[in-house]
Amino acid sequence: MQNINRRQFLTQSAAVSTAATILPRYAVGQSSPSEKLNLAVIGCTNRGGNIGSEAIKNSLTHCVALCDVVPSRAEGLKKKMGGRCDDAIVFEDFREMLSKMGDKIDACTIGVPDHAHFPIAMLAMSMGIHVYVEKPLAHTFEECELLMAAEKKYKVKCQMGNQGHSSGQRLQFQSWVEAGIIKNVRRVDACMNKGRRWHPWGDIKEFPPAEKMPEGMNWDVWAGTAPKHPYNSKYDPGNWRGWYDYGNGAFGDWGPHTLDTVHRFLKLGLPHEIRAEKIEKPNDLIYPHGTTIAFDFAQRGPDMPEMTINWYDGTHNRPPSSHDVKIPSCGKAIFSDDLTFVGGTHSASLSIVGGERQDDVKDSLPKSSASETSTNHMDNFLRAAAGLDPYCNSSFAITGPLTQVFMLGCIAQRLGEDLEFDTETKQITNSVRANELLKGHAPRPGWEAYYELA
């Protein structure tokens, strides 16, 4: 696709944003849609291919487009689908796809590196397209802020891909809070103690040299708004997560699956202090090998006092509470005044493992059947896009502030500094450099206009 200038981009975006206020094709409460949702899958390999194939298989969709910066990956997904999307048109540039087919696409999945979530989602939303964005929501604090504003402005259905938030685990946590089982929480210890892709790289001193790209790769689109370094396999496929320029480390990968219910139902909002208590092998280019980051939250109500989340990543960086409480290598322990809970990630349920009230509450726990209460995350998104469900379980209004907590943690990991955060102005007040990182690097020339669509 030939690059359009900023004036052309904003003119086109203004036109489609008007169309975005039109009511969706299917009215809420309609028993069955007369037509299927026209689906586009953006990112066709690894996690993007997984969520894309799930959407393609759904009875509510007809896949009309596949997009990947390596077109052969899109063709590979098409073959795997066994005839479900044989007529889908393949693109290597999401801008070209939306320029040519935006008026024919109702919903899209976005399963690409963290840094590329924002421009794709923002452009699609501005065209009235419902979006499913794999976690984390975006790459910077500001991008989350803009995506939340765009969700409200364009009135589209938006889902972040933390799949456990449509499971019985979410409903269990919510019901336990509402029943007063979970209350007066003072501390949460959460951990991710598996090895990461960047751990074997050692002490990176500079960006890696150029390597031969996969045949047909559009590296300019892959880089998107981010700095464009020469292609190297330490970026793609999958290795982008370890670089500050492209990923959000262990926080972005596991935080949305571990702390989503804690954040939502304890009404945490944003922390007023973020403390870098341990940084193992700090580096200017890639995430550390292990960190302990603490987040302090203010009181939110009579049963929600001041509390701290302690995050531990690194293969040997275990929470001290794990000596007394058995916490999974990816999971959490929740400490209230008189109960202790342990849980894993995704759809793993909570267990009560200690505390003065343990015997008192064990017979009064809310009873619910997972089969009656949980749903499939992708199905929830597509039903909401079709007007058959009233809302997405992980809308951007819910997952934007959650992701922003992790973005603040990433800044503390990167700088190894304690940060003071003003939750009203949403500014870091004790470090100019840290405050600049709320926005991150300036977008590359030609990619600035996406930040003006909200």
Side-chain angles (χ1 to χ4, degrees), residues 110 117 121-122 125 130-134 137 143-152 156-161 392-404:
I110 301 171
H117 290 183
M122 186 60 77
M125 293 165 72
H130 309 291
V131 297
Y132 181 108
V133 181
E134 186 60 4
L137 180 56
E143 288 178 352
C144 294
E145 197 78 7
L146 294 174
L147 288 173
M148 287 188 284
E151 179 183 49
K152 186 180 297 185
V156 289
K157 300 298 183 182
C158 302
Q159 183 96 298
M160 188 180 83
C392 291
N393 290 331
S394 276
S395 68
F396 292 177
I398 292 169
T399 57
L402 169 70
T403 308
Q404 287 179 320

PDB file of all heavy atoms in Angstrom, residues 110 117 121-122 125 130-134 137 143-152 156-161 392-404:
ATOM      1  N   ILE A 110      -6.625  -9.511  16.615  1.00  0.00           N
ATOM      2  CA  ILE A 110      -5.296  -8.910  16.498  1.00  0.00           C
ATOM      3  C   ILE A 110      -4.352  -9.693  17.389  1.00  0.00           C
ATOM      4  O   ILE A 110      -4.398  -9.582  18.626  1.00  0.00           O
ATOM      5  CB  ILE A 110      -5.328  -7.420  16.893  1.00  0.00           C
ATOM      6  CG1 ILE A 110      -6.311  -6.657  15.997  1.00  0.00           C
ATOM      7  CG2 ILE A 110      -3.934  -6.804  16.812  1.00  0.00           C
ATOM      8  CD1 ILE A 110      -6.575  -5.224  16.447  1.00  0.00           C
ATOM      9  N   HIS A 117      -0.088  -3.688  18.532  1.00  0.00           N
ATOM     10  CA  HIS A 117      -1.507  -3.732  18.874  1.00  0.00           C
ATOM     11  C   HIS A 117      -2.198  -2.404  18.598  1.00  0.00           C
ATOM     12  O   HIS A 117      -3.282  -2.347  18.023  1.00  0.00           O
ATOM     13  CB  HIS A 117      -1.694  -4.077  20.349  1.00  0.00           C
ATOM     14  CG  HIS A 117      -1.338  -5.482  20.694  1.00  0.00           C
ATOM     15  ND1 HIS A 117      -1.495  -5.996  21.981  1.00  0.00           N
ATOM     16  CD2 HIS A 117      -0.836  -6.495  19.957  1.00  0.00           C
ATOM     17  CE1 HIS A 117      -1.107  -7.255  21.996  1.00  0.00           C
ATOM     18  NE2 HIS A 117      -0.685  -7.576  20.790  1.00  0.00           N
ATOM     19  N   ALA A 121      -5.484  -1.734  16.132  1.00  0.00           N
ATOM     20  CA  ALA A 121      -6.755  -1.616  16.845  1.00  0.00           C
ATOM     21  C   ALA A 121      -7.369  -0.242  16.652  1.00  0.00           C
ATOM     22  O   ALA A 121      -8.580  -0.111  16.423  1.00  0.00           O
ATOM     23  CB  ALA A 121      -6.549  -1.910  18.327  1.00  0.00           C
ATOM     24  N   MET A 122      -6.554   0.795  16.731  1.00  0.00           N
ATOM     25  CA  MET A 122      -7.079   2.144  16.624  1.00  0.00           C
ATOM     26  C   MET A 122      -7.691   2.409  15.248  1.00  0.00           C
ATOM     27  O   MET A 122      -8.788   2.976  15.133  1.00  0.00           O
ATOM     28  CB  MET A 122      -5.968   3.155  16.922  1.00  0.00           C
ATOM     29  CG  MET A 122      -6.447   4.591  16.981  1.00  0.00           C
ATOM     30  SD  MET A 122      -7.701   4.909  18.256  1.00  0.00           S
ATOM     31  CE  MET A 122      -6.682   4.960  19.728  1.00  0.00           C
ATOM     32  N   MET A 125     -10.958   0.299  14.935  1.00  0.00           N
ATOM     33  CA  MET A 125     -12.038   0.870  15.737  1.00  0.00           C
ATOM     34  C   MET A 125     -12.597   2.123  15.093  1.00  0.00           C
ATOM     35  O   MET A 125     -13.814   2.353  15.095  1.00  0.00           O
ATOM     36  CB  MET A 125     -11.523   1.172  17.148  1.00  0.00           C
ATOM     37  CG  MET A 125     -11.160  -0.064  17.955  1.00  0.00           C
ATOM     38  SD  MET A 125     -10.169   0.304  19.420  1.00  0.00           S
ATOM     39  CE  MET A 125     -11.391   1.068  20.485  1.00  0.00           C
ATOM     40  N   HIS A 130     -15.332  -4.113  15.242  1.00  0.00           N
ATOM     41  CA  HIS A 130     -15.148  -4.668  16.582  1.00  0.00           C
ATOM     42  C   HIS A 130     -13.791  -5.375  16.646  1.00  0.00           C
ATOM     43  O   HIS A 130     -13.397  -6.053  15.691  1.00  0.00           O
ATOM     44  CB  HIS A 130     -16.269  -5.649  16.906  1.00  0.00           C
ATOM     45  CG  HIS A 130     -17.648  -5.096  16.671  1.00  0.00           C
ATOM     46  ND1 HIS A 130     -18.190  -4.106  17.451  1.00  0.00           N
ATOM     47  CD2 HIS A 130     -18.576  -5.388  15.715  1.00  0.00           C
ATOM     48  CE1 HIS A 130     -19.404  -3.822  17.013  1.00  0.00           C
ATOM     49  NE2 HIS A 130     -19.663  -4.581  15.963  1.00  0.00           N
ATOM     50  N   VAL A 131     -13.087  -5.246  17.779  1.00  0.00           N
ATOM     51  CA  VAL A 131     -11.719  -5.744  17.839  1.00  0.00           C
ATOM     52  C   VAL A 131     -11.497  -6.650  19.050  1.00  0.00           C
ATOM     53  O   VAL A 131     -11.947  -6.370  20.161  1.00  0.00           O
ATOM     54  CB  VAL A 131     -10.688  -4.590  17.858  1.00  0.00           C
ATOM     55  CG1 VAL A 131     -10.754  -3.784  16.574  1.00  0.00           C
ATOM     56  CG2 VAL A 131     -10.884  -3.677  19.058  1.00  0.00           C
ATOM     57  N   TYR A 132     -10.816  -7.748  18.797  1.00  0.00           N
ATOM     58  CA  TYR A 132     -10.321  -8.654  19.836  1.00  0.00           C
ATOM     59  C   TYR A 132      -8.801  -8.530  19.809  1.00  0.00           C
ATOM     60  O   TYR A 132      -8.159  -8.866  18.804  1.00  0.00           O
ATOM     61  CB  TYR A 132     -10.748 -10.091  19.528  1.00  0.00           C
ATOM     62  CG  TYR A 132     -10.316 -11.133  20.544  1.00  0.00           C
ATOM     63  CD1 TYR A 132     -11.249 -11.718  21.401  1.00  0.00           C
ATOM     64  CD2 TYR A 132      -8.994 -11.577  20.635  1.00  0.00           C
ATOM     65  CE1 TYR A 132     -10.877 -12.701  22.317  1.00  0.00           C
ATOM     66  CE2 TYR A 132      -8.614 -12.543  21.553  1.00  0.00           C
ATOM     67  CZ  TYR A 132      -9.559 -13.103  22.387  1.00  0.00           C
ATOM     68  OH  TYR A 132      -9.186 -14.076  23.292  1.00  0.00           O
ATOM     69  N   VAL A 133      -8.213  -8.013  20.891  1.00  0.00           N
ATOM     70  CA  VAL A 133      -6.773  -7.760  20.959  1.00  0.00           C
ATOM     71  C   VAL A 133      -6.165  -8.691  22.003  1.00  0.00           C
ATOM     72  O   VAL A 133      -6.541  -8.657  23.177  1.00  0.00           O
ATOM     73  CB  VAL A 133      -6.479  -6.297  21.334  1.00  0.00           C
ATOM     74  CG1 VAL A 133      -4.975  -6.047  21.379  1.00  0.00           C
ATOM     75  CG2 VAL A 133      -7.150  -5.345  20.349  1.00  0.00           C
ATOM     76  N   GLU A 134      -5.252  -9.528  21.579  1.00  0.00           N
ATOM     77  CA  GLU A 134      -4.584 -10.419  22.531  1.00  0.00           C
ATOM     78  C   GLU A 134      -3.835  -9.580  23.574  1.00  0.00           C
ATOM     79  O   GLU A 134      -3.377  -8.467  23.300  1.00  0.00           O
ATOM     80  CB  GLU A 134      -3.638 -11.363  21.794  1.00  0.00           C
ATOM     81  CG  GLU A 134      -2.998 -12.433  22.641  1.00  0.00           C
ATOM     82  CD  GLU A 134      -3.995 -13.376  23.321  1.00  0.00           C
ATOM     83  OE1 GLU A 134      -5.213 -13.272  23.104  1.00  0.00           O
ATOM     84  OE2 GLU A 134      -3.534 -14.219  24.113  1.00  0.00           O
ATOM     85  N   LEU A 137      -2.974  -5.261  26.385  1.00  0.00           N
ATOM     86  CA  LEU A 137      -3.759  -4.413  25.507  1.00  0.00           C
ATOM     87  C   LEU A 137      -2.897  -3.601  24.558  1.00  0.00           C
ATOM     88  O   LEU A 137      -3.218  -3.472  23.375  1.00  0.00           O
ATOM     89  CB  LEU A 137      -4.638  -3.486  26.362  1.00  0.00           C
ATOM     90  CG  LEU A 137      -5.543  -2.525  25.607  1.00  0.00           C
ATOM     91  CD1 LEU A 137      -6.455  -3.268  24.652  1.00  0.00           C
ATOM     92  CD2 LEU A 137      -6.349  -1.689  26.592  1.00  0.00           C
ATOM     93  N   GLU A 143      -0.930   4.526  25.272  1.00  0.00           N
ATOM     94  CA  GLU A 143      -1.704   3.791  24.282  1.00  0.00           C
ATOM     95  C   GLU A 143      -2.947   3.162  24.902  1.00  0.00           C
ATOM     96  O   GLU A 143      -4.022   3.147  24.279  1.00  0.00           O
ATOM     97  CB  GLU A 143      -0.827   2.737  23.616  1.00  0.00           C
ATOM     98  CG  GLU A 143       0.203   3.301  22.668  1.00  0.00           C
ATOM     99  CD  GLU A 143       1.109   2.239  22.054  1.00  0.00           C
ATOM    100  OE1 GLU A 143       1.038   1.070  22.480  1.00  0.00           O
ATOM    101  OE2 GLU A 143       1.892   2.591  21.146  1.00  0.00           O
ATOM    102  N   CYS A 144      -2.826   2.656  26.115  1.00  0.00           N
ATOM    103  CA  CYS A 144      -4.005   2.131  26.820  1.00  0.00           C
ATOM    104  C   CYS A 144      -5.038   3.229  27.025  1.00  0.00           C
ATOM    105  O   CYS A 144      -6.240   3.020  26.838  1.00  0.00           O
ATOM    106  CB  CYS A 144      -3.602   1.535  28.156  1.00  0.00           C
ATOM    107  SG  CYS A 144      -2.576   0.068  28.066  1.00  0.00           S
ATOM    108  N   GLU A 145      -4.567   4.395  27.425  1.00  0.00           N
ATOM    109  CA  GLU A 145      -5.462   5.524  27.659  1.00  0.00           C
ATOM    110  C   GLU A 145      -6.228   5.874  26.385  1.00  0.00           C
ATOM    111  O   GLU A 145      -7.448   6.102  26.400  1.00  0.00           O
ATOM    112  CB  GLU A 145      -4.638   6.724  28.142  1.00  0.00           C
ATOM    113  CG  GLU A 145      -5.442   7.822  28.802  1.00  0.00           C
ATOM    114  CD  GLU A 145      -5.846   7.504  30.234  1.00  0.00           C
ATOM    115  OE1 GLU A 145      -5.393   6.483  30.797  1.00  0.00           O
ATOM    116  OE2 GLU A 145      -6.636   8.273  30.791  1.00  0.00           O
ATOM    117  N   LEU A 146      -5.534   5.888  25.261  1.00  0.00           N
ATOM    118  CA  LEU A 146      -6.162   6.245  23.987  1.00  0.00           C
ATOM    119  C   LEU A 146      -7.131   5.171  23.506  1.00  0.00           C
ATOM    120  O   LEU A 146      -8.184   5.484  22.942  1.00  0.00           O
ATOM    121  CB  LEU A 146      -5.081   6.497  22.936  1.00  0.00           C
ATOM    122  CG  LEU A 146      -4.187   7.718  23.188  1.00  0.00           C
ATOM    123  CD1 LEU A 146      -3.052   7.773  22.165  1.00  0.00           C
ATOM    124  CD2 LEU A 146      -4.997   9.013  23.156  1.00  0.00           C
ATOM    125  N   LEU A 147      -6.797   3.920  23.724  1.00  0.00           N
ATOM    126  CA  LEU A 147      -7.698   2.845  23.307  1.00  0.00           C
ATOM    127  C   LEU A 147      -8.976   2.840  24.140  1.00  0.00           C
ATOM    128  O   LEU A 147     -10.064   2.560  23.618  1.00  0.00           O
ATOM    129  CB  LEU A 147      -6.989   1.496  23.393  1.00  0.00           C
ATOM    130  CG  LEU A 147      -5.920   1.242  22.322  1.00  0.00           C
ATOM    131  CD1 LEU A 147      -5.170  -0.048  22.609  1.00  0.00           C
ATOM    132  CD2 LEU A 147      -6.539   1.193  20.924  1.00  0.00           C
ATOM    133  N   MET A 148      -8.868   3.148  25.423  1.00  0.00           N
ATOM    134  CA  MET A 148     -10.076   3.260  26.243  1.00  0.00           C
ATOM    135  C   MET A 148     -10.965   4.392  25.735  1.00  0.00           C
ATOM    136  O   MET A 148     -12.198   4.255  25.656  1.00  0.00           O
ATOM    137  CB  MET A 148      -9.704   3.489  27.708  1.00  0.00           C
ATOM    138  CG  MET A 148      -9.155   2.266  28.412  1.00  0.00           C
ATOM    139  SD  MET A 148      -8.943   2.537  30.199  1.00  0.00           S
ATOM    140  CE  MET A 148      -7.442   3.537  30.231  1.00  0.00           C
ATOM    141  N   ALA A 149     -10.346   5.509  25.377  1.00  0.00           N
ATOM    142  CA  ALA A 149     -11.119   6.638  24.848  1.00  0.00           C
ATOM    143  C   ALA A 149     -11.764   6.286  23.508  1.00  0.00           C
ATOM    144  O   ALA A 149     -12.911   6.666  23.245  1.00  0.00           O
ATOM    145  CB  ALA A 149     -10.210   7.864  24.698  1.00  0.00           C
ATOM    146  N   ALA A 150     -11.040   5.553  22.670  1.00  0.00           N
ATOM    147  CA  ALA A 150     -11.578   5.181  21.364  1.00  0.00           C
ATOM    148  C   ALA A 150     -12.741   4.206  21.485  1.00  0.00           C
ATOM    149  O   ALA A 150     -13.705   4.274  20.717  1.00  0.00           O
ATOM    150  CB  ALA A 150     -10.469   4.576  20.504  1.00  0.00           C
ATOM    151  N   GLU A 151     -12.658   3.279  22.441  1.00  0.00           N
ATOM    152  CA  GLU A 151     -13.767   2.348  22.664  1.00  0.00           C
ATOM    153  C   GLU A 151     -15.046   3.119  22.960  1.00  0.00           C
ATOM    154  O   GLU A 151     -16.126   2.786  22.455  1.00  0.00           O
ATOM    155  CB  GLU A 151     -13.433   1.422  23.825  1.00  0.00           C
ATOM    156  CG  GLU A 151     -14.532   0.427  24.167  1.00  0.00           C
ATOM    157  CD  GLU A 151     -14.182  -0.431  25.373  1.00  0.00           C
ATOM    158  OE1 GLU A 151     -13.757   0.140  26.401  1.00  0.00           O
ATOM    159  OE2 GLU A 151     -14.317  -1.662  25.283  1.00  0.00           O
ATOM    160  N   LYS A 152     -14.932   4.148  23.777  1.00  0.00           N
ATOM    161  CA  LYS A 152     -16.095   4.960  24.125  1.00  0.00           C
ATOM    162  C   LYS A 152     -16.550   5.808  22.940  1.00  0.00           C
ATOM    163  O   LYS A 152     -17.753   5.948  22.675  1.00  0.00           O
ATOM    164  CB  LYS A 152     -15.733   5.851  25.314  1.00  0.00           C
ATOM    165  CG  LYS A 152     -16.890   6.661  25.880  1.00  0.00           C
ATOM    166  CD  LYS A 152     -16.445   7.514  27.060  1.00  0.00           C
ATOM    167  CE  LYS A 152     -15.962   6.677  28.223  1.00  0.00           C
ATOM    168  NZ  LYS A 152     -15.634   7.512  29.416  1.00  0.00           N
ATOM    169  N   VAL A 156     -17.734   0.600  19.652  1.00  0.00           N
ATOM    170  CA  VAL A 156     -17.541  -0.749  19.131  1.00  0.00           C
ATOM    171  C   VAL A 156     -17.298  -1.701  20.292  1.00  0.00           C
ATOM    172  O   VAL A 156     -16.957  -1.289  21.403  1.00  0.00           O
ATOM    173  CB  VAL A 156     -16.361  -0.806  18.134  1.00  0.00           C
ATOM    174  CG1 VAL A 156     -16.715  -0.094  16.839  1.00  0.00           C
ATOM    175  CG2 VAL A 156     -15.093  -0.197  18.742  1.00  0.00           C
ATOM    176  N   LYS A 157     -17.490  -2.993  20.049  1.00  0.00           N
ATOM    177  CA  LYS A 157     -17.234  -4.005  21.065  1.00  0.00           C
ATOM    178  C   LYS A 157     -15.753  -4.367  21.043  1.00  0.00           C
ATOM    179  O   LYS A 157     -15.199  -4.641  19.966  1.00  0.00           O
ATOM    180  CB  LYS A 157     -18.080  -5.255  20.816  1.00  0.00           C
ATOM    181  CG  LYS A 157     -19.580  -4.986  20.836  1.00  0.00           C
ATOM    182  CD  LYS A 157     -20.048  -4.469  22.199  1.00  0.00           C
ATOM    183  CE  LYS A 157     -21.565  -4.294  22.204  1.00  0.00           C
ATOM    184  NZ  LYS A 157     -22.046  -3.738  23.490  1.00  0.00           N
ATOM    185  N   CYS A 158     -15.140  -4.364  22.217  1.00  0.00           N
ATOM    186  CA  CYS A 158     -13.703  -4.586  22.319  1.00  0.00           C
ATOM    187  C   CYS A 158     -13.429  -5.619  23.409  1.00  0.00           C
ATOM    188  O   CYS A 158     -14.001  -5.541  24.505  1.00  0.00           O
ATOM    189  CB  CYS A 158     -12.976  -3.285  22.658  1.00  0.00           C
ATOM    190  SG  CYS A 158     -13.238  -1.955  21.471  1.00  0.00           S
ATOM    191  N   GLN A 159     -12.541  -6.545  23.114  1.00  0.00           N
ATOM    192  CA  GLN A 159     -12.185  -7.598  24.065  1.00  0.00           C
ATOM    193  C   GLN A 159     -10.671  -7.749  24.093  1.00  0.00           C
ATOM    194  O   GLN A 159     -10.035  -7.805  23.045  1.00  0.00           O
ATOM    195  CB  GLN A 159     -12.808  -8.927  23.626  1.00  0.00           C
ATOM    196  CG  GLN A 159     -12.578 -10.104  24.574  1.00  0.00           C
ATOM    197  CD  GLN A 159     -13.725 -10.318  25.532  1.00  0.00           C
ATOM    198  OE1 GLN A 159     -14.026  -9.436  26.327  1.00  0.00           O
ATOM    199  NE2 GLN A 159     -14.374 -11.465  25.450  1.00  0.00           N
ATOM    200  N   MET A 160     -10.084  -7.782  25.300  1.00  0.00           N
ATOM    201  CA  MET A 160      -8.679  -8.158  25.425  1.00  0.00           C
ATOM    202  C   MET A 160      -8.601  -9.647  25.718  1.00  0.00           C
ATOM    203  O   MET A 160      -9.425 -10.199  26.457  1.00  0.00           O
ATOM    204  CB  MET A 160      -7.989  -7.375  26.530  1.00  0.00           C
ATOM    205  CG  MET A 160      -6.469  -7.607  26.558  1.00  0.00           C
ATOM    206  SD  MET A 160      -5.590  -6.706  27.855  1.00  0.00           S
ATOM    207  CE  MET A 160      -5.843  -7.789  29.269  1.00  0.00           C
ATOM    208  N   GLY A 161      -7.591 -10.305  25.168  1.00  0.00           N
ATOM    209  CA  GLY A 161      -7.513 -11.757  25.215  1.00  0.00           C
ATOM    210  C   GLY A 161      -6.912 -12.339  26.475  1.00  0.00           C
ATOM    211  O   GLY A 161      -5.970 -13.133  26.377  1.00  0.00           O
ATOM    212  N   CYS A 392     -18.719  -7.235  26.350  1.00  0.00           N
ATOM    213  CA  CYS A 392     -17.541  -8.102  26.381  1.00  0.00           C
ATOM    214  C   CYS A 392     -17.042  -8.199  27.818  1.00  0.00           C
ATOM    215  O   CYS A 392     -16.994  -7.193  28.531  1.00  0.00           O
ATOM    216  CB  CYS A 392     -16.430  -7.543  25.496  1.00  0.00           C
ATOM    217  SG  CYS A 392     -16.766  -7.612  23.720  1.00  0.00           S
ATOM    218  N   ASN A 393     -16.660  -9.392  28.234  1.00  0.00           N
ATOM    219  CA  ASN A 393     -16.210  -9.590  29.611  1.00  0.00           C
ATOM    220  C   ASN A 393     -14.927  -8.846  29.926  1.00  0.00           C
ATOM    221  O   ASN A 393     -14.686  -8.468  31.075  1.00  0.00           O
ATOM    222  CB  ASN A 393     -16.023 -11.085  29.887  1.00  0.00           C
ATOM    223  CG  ASN A 393     -17.342 -11.834  29.938  1.00  0.00           C
ATOM    224  OD1 ASN A 393     -18.371 -11.280  30.295  1.00  0.00           O
ATOM    225  ND2 ASN A 393     -17.312 -13.110  29.559  1.00  0.00           N
ATOM    226  N   SER A 394     -14.064  -8.668  28.907  1.00  0.00           N
ATOM    227  CA  SER A 394     -12.800  -7.954  29.118  1.00  0.00           C
ATOM    228  C   SER A 394     -12.718  -6.738  28.205  1.00  0.00           C
ATOM    229  O   SER A 394     -11.783  -6.578  27.424  1.00  0.00           O
ATOM    230  CB  SER A 394     -11.601  -8.884  28.868  1.00  0.00           C
ATOM    231  OG  SER A 394     -11.300  -9.638  30.003  1.00  0.00           O
ATOM    232  N   SER A 395     -13.726  -5.890  28.301  1.00  0.00           N
ATOM    233  CA  SER A 395     -13.728  -4.662  27.509  1.00  0.00           C
ATOM    234  C   SER A 395     -12.505  -3.813  27.852  1.00  0.00           C
ATOM    235  O   SER A 395     -11.880  -3.987  28.900  1.00  0.00           O
ATOM    236  CB  SER A 395     -14.997  -3.865  27.779  1.00  0.00           C
ATOM    237  OG  SER A 395     -14.983  -3.355  29.108  1.00  0.00           O
ATOM    238  N   PHE A 396     -12.176  -2.875  26.994  1.00  0.00           N
ATOM    239  CA  PHE A 396     -11.017  -2.014  27.237  1.00  0.00           C
ATOM    240  C   PHE A 396     -11.217  -1.148  28.474  1.00  0.00           C
ATOM    241  O   PHE A 396     -10.246  -0.779  29.135  1.00  0.00           O
ATOM    242  CB  PHE A 396     -10.736  -1.142  26.023  1.00  0.00           C
ATOM    243  CG  PHE A 396     -10.250  -1.907  24.814  1.00  0.00           C
ATOM    244  CD1 PHE A 396     -10.016  -1.252  23.616  1.00  0.00           C
ATOM    245  CD2 PHE A 396     -10.036  -3.278  24.862  1.00  0.00           C
ATOM    246  CE1 PHE A 396      -9.565  -1.946  22.496  1.00  0.00           C
ATOM    247  CE2 PHE A 396      -9.599  -3.986  23.754  1.00  0.00           C
ATOM    248  CZ  PHE A 396      -9.367  -3.313  22.562  1.00  0.00           C
ATOM    249  N   ALA A 397     -12.466  -0.795  28.793  1.00  0.00           N
ATOM    250  CA  ALA A 397     -12.717  -0.017  30.003  1.00  0.00           C
ATOM    251  C   ALA A 397     -12.275  -0.783  31.245  1.00  0.00           C
ATOM    252  O   ALA A 397     -11.871  -0.183  32.246  1.00  0.00           O
ATOM    253  CB  ALA A 397     -14.203   0.331  30.089  1.00  0.00           C
ATOM    254  N   ILE A 398     -12.349  -2.106  31.177  1.00  0.00           N
ATOM    255  CA  ILE A 398     -11.921  -2.958  32.296  1.00  0.00           C
ATOM    256  C   ILE A 398     -10.435  -3.261  32.222  1.00  0.00           C
ATOM    257  O   ILE A 398      -9.713  -3.167  33.217  1.00  0.00           O
ATOM    258  CB  ILE A 398     -12.738  -4.267  32.296  1.00  0.00           C
ATOM    259  CG1 ILE A 398     -14.201  -3.983  32.648  1.00  0.00           C
ATOM    260  CG2 ILE A 398     -12.136  -5.290  33.266  1.00  0.00           C
ATOM    261  CD1 ILE A 398     -15.128  -5.150  32.420  1.00  0.00           C
ATOM    262  N   THR A 399      -9.965  -3.624  31.045  1.00  0.00           N
ATOM    263  CA  THR A 399      -8.583  -4.098  30.919  1.00  0.00           C
ATOM    264  C   THR A 399      -7.570  -2.985  30.665  1.00  0.00           C
ATOM    265  O   THR A 399      -6.374  -3.209  30.822  1.00  0.00           O
ATOM    266  CB  THR A 399      -8.488  -5.129  29.782  1.00  0.00           C
ATOM    267  OG1 THR A 399      -8.956  -4.542  28.556  1.00  0.00           O
ATOM    268  CG2 THR A 399      -9.325  -6.351  30.092  1.00  0.00           C
ATOM    269  N   GLY A 400      -8.045  -1.783  30.298  1.00  0.00           N
ATOM    270  CA  GLY A 400      -7.111  -0.668  30.125  1.00  0.00           C
ATOM    271  C   GLY A 400      -6.384  -0.329  31.415  1.00  0.00           C
ATOM    272  O   GLY A 400      -5.139  -0.326  31.459  1.00  0.00           O
ATOM    273  N   PRO A 401      -7.095  -0.039  32.515  1.00  0.00           N
ATOM    274  CA  PRO A 401      -6.406   0.257  33.780  1.00  0.00           C
ATOM    275  C   PRO A 401      -5.581  -0.923  34.293  1.00  0.00           C
ATOM    276  O   PRO A 401      -4.509  -0.722  34.875  1.00  0.00           O
ATOM    277  CB  PRO A 401      -7.554   0.588  34.736  1.00  0.00           C
ATOM    278  CG  PRO A 401      -8.669   1.047  33.839  1.00  0.00           C
ATOM    279  CD  PRO A 401      -8.547   0.214  32.595  1.00  0.00           C
ATOM    280  N   LEU A 402      -6.069  -2.157  34.089  1.00  0.00           N
ATOM    281  CA  LEU A 402      -5.279  -3.332  34.473  1.00  0.00           C
ATOM    282  C   LEU A 402      -3.939  -3.327  33.761  1.00  0.00           C
ATOM    283  O   LEU A 402      -2.881  -3.502  34.374  1.00  0.00           O
ATOM    284  CB  LEU A 402      -6.066  -4.601  34.128  1.00  0.00           C
ATOM    285  CG  LEU A 402      -5.304  -5.933  34.215  1.00  0.00           C
ATOM    286  CD1 LEU A 402      -5.002  -6.287  35.659  1.00  0.00           C
ATOM    287  CD2 LEU A 402      -6.093  -7.056  33.535  1.00  0.00           C
ATOM    288  N   THR A 403      -3.976  -3.122  32.441  1.00  0.00           N
ATOM    289  CA  THR A 403      -2.733  -3.114  31.669  1.00  0.00           C
ATOM    290  C   THR A 403      -1.843  -1.955  32.074  1.00  0.00           C
ATOM    291  O   THR A 403      -0.616  -2.083  32.097  1.00  0.00           O
ATOM    292  CB  THR A 403      -3.046  -3.052  30.167  1.00  0.00           C
ATOM    293  OG1 THR A 403      -3.981  -4.082  29.822  1.00  0.00           O
ATOM    294  CG2 THR A 403      -1.780  -3.230  29.339  1.00  0.00           C
ATOM    295  N   GLN A 404      -2.420  -0.829  32.422  1.00  0.00           N
ATOM    296  CA  GLN A 404      -1.614   0.322  32.833  1.00  0.00           C
ATOM    297  C   GLN A 404      -0.822   0.037  34.105  1.00  0.00           C
ATOM    298  O   GLN A 404       0.290   0.555  34.274  1.00  0.00           O
ATOM    299  CB  GLN A 404      -2.515   1.546  33.015  1.00  0.00           C
ATOM    300  CG  GLN A 404      -3.003   2.121  31.693  1.00  0.00           C
ATOM    301  CD  GLN A 404      -3.918   3.308  31.868  1.00  0.00           C
ATOM    302  OE1 GLN A 404      -4.772   3.327  32.759  1.00  0.00           O
ATOM    303  NE2 GLN A 404      -3.758   4.320  31.039  1.00  0.00           N
TER     304      GLN A 404
END
